[in-house]
Amino acid sequence: MEAIFLDQFAFFTQNPHFVVAVFSDGLMEVSQKINGAILHIMQVKMKHLMPVIMQGQQQGFFTNAITTEELIHIVMGSFRLQMFKWRIANFQFDLHRQGTSMLQAILTLIKN
């Protein structure tokens, strides 16, 4: 799970324009094509996260107190909030450092 998110933080650090596009006001409401592309990205991310979280739950590493789908929403929502904070801070903080800290907090919360 860490590798998935560290890779994403590295990608967005190299390509902050993708974050700008996703968080542009009104952009998603205007274009069905953009909505479809963002939905596709979310589905791909969920496809990669699902087996990782599921396996972690089956092996007793992650909590079973909530469903796999709920854990995915928590994880993805936290990631999205982190990216939004970076965007509104005009990319002025170290995304890798802040993202790693956020990821460790999430892992602490969902560990069994």
Side-chain angles (χ1 to χ4, degrees), residues 18-42 80 84:
F18 284 108
V19 176
V20 172
V22 171
F23 290 110
S24 292
D25 291 339
L27 189 61
M28 291 185 288
E29 292 82 14
V30 173
S31 172
Q32 289 277 344
K33 188 173 182 179
I34 291 171
N35 279 341
I38 292 170
L39 179 61
H40 177 72
I41 291 168
M42 286 174 35
R80 182 170 168 80
F84 180 69

Side-chain angles (χ1 to χ4, degrees), residues 46 50 53-54 57 66-74:
M46 288 174 74
M50 180 75 74
I53 291 177
M54 223 183 246
Q57 286 179 305
I66 57 178
T67 68
T68 304
E69 291 80 13
E70 291 167 330
L71 283 178
I72 289 171
H73 287 166
I74 290 166

Side-chain angles (χ1 to χ4, degrees), residues 63 71 74 78 102-112:
T63 183
L71 283 178
I74 290 166
S78 298
M102 181 257 328
L103 180 58
Q104 292 307 313
I106 290 171
L107 290 172
T108 299
L109 289 171
I110 69 172
K111 279 183 183 175
N112 213 5

